[in-house]
Amino acid sequence: MRKLFKKTQSAWEPEKLPRHIAIVMDGNGRWAKKRSLPRTAGHAAGAETFRRIATYCKNIGIEYLTVYAFSTENWKRPPEEVEKIMQLLEKYIIEALGKMERDKVKMKFLGDVTVLSPKLKELVAEAEELSKTFDGVQVNVCLNYGSRDEIIRAVKSYAAEQIIESNANTESTKKMEETIGSLTEEKFSKYLYTADIPDPDLIIRPSGEHRVSNFLLWQSAYSEYYFTDALWPDFNEKELDKAIIAYQSRERRYGAI
């Protein structure tokens, strides 16, 4: 690791590192199929890659890492595969809880966790509570997450809040119109799972697919995308370096000239 770190520092510029990297962890099943292994073996290999990449991001100074672990659509997969993914998540969180304070790695879970098992919900709550006690790199795990679902939930939360406030006001209709008219992108962002988290600078999609797959649709408006053919279990520090180098070669104008 030390040798690689020294080598890559000369390849990318430390002062221009993305603040927030997001990754779609894709290709576990295909990785396993290529090796005549069950899909669950691919997810286990992918979990190890996640550990390694998260550690590397922390070591090089990335402030936020967001990974797409399980989408709202992934429930359609075979029950045994879903169960294995949930078991791997439990295992990872349990291991992380023992190292979080030492390594100064905070965790936040983005998505609807209410439908998870009682044990997994308890682990998620424990990890997020412990994360409040220190500062450090923040790893956001998108769990039962879908960006369209996130936006709809945000709209409902905003509307419900405004209705409550309007009912307490004698001029409710006028108040509601004024409130809706004053809605801004910044205000709306506060109702998303990613409230108070900066938008991703760089989004990486392994496995050769070129689509966003319902991932951070609102937050990725001006993100830089990097696609690679490497399947997620084969994704390593060198692949991440390539993505960072590509990111640093681009000019981010945010719609300006």
Side-chain angles (χ1 to χ4, degrees), residues 101-130:
E101 191 166 6
R102 182 197 70 188
D103 295 342
K104 298 295 184 289
V105 175
K106 299 189 294 183
M107 293 188 72
K108 183 174 178 63
F109 293 84
L110 313 180
D112 180 13
V113 300
T114 61
V115 299
L116 303 179
S117 69
K119 181 180 179 180
L120 193 49
K121 283 192 288 188
E122 183 179 342
L123 289 170
V124 164
E126 186 177 351
E128 291 194 326
E129 186 62 30
L130 181 59

Side-chain angles (χ1 to χ4, degrees), residues 136-188:
V137 61
Q138 180 168 311
V139 176
N140 305 308
V141 180
C142 292
L143 180 54
N144 192 28
Y145 173 89
S147 192
R148 287 183 173 181
D149 177 71
E150 175 187 29
I151 293 170
I152 291 298
R153 286 173 178 272
V155 170
K156 289 179 177 179
S157 295
Y158 175 77
E161 187 175 292
Q162 305 317 311
I163 290 172
I164 292 172
E165 290 183 1
S166 294
N167 287 340
N169 192 294
T170 54
E171 298 181 6
S172 58
T173 302
K174 183 179 180 181
K175 178 66 176 178
M176 178 70 82
E177 291 175 350
E178 291 176 353
T179 302
I180 292 173
S182 66
L183 180 63
T184 63
E185 291 183 15
E186 183 179 3
K187 286 181 181 179
F188 184 72

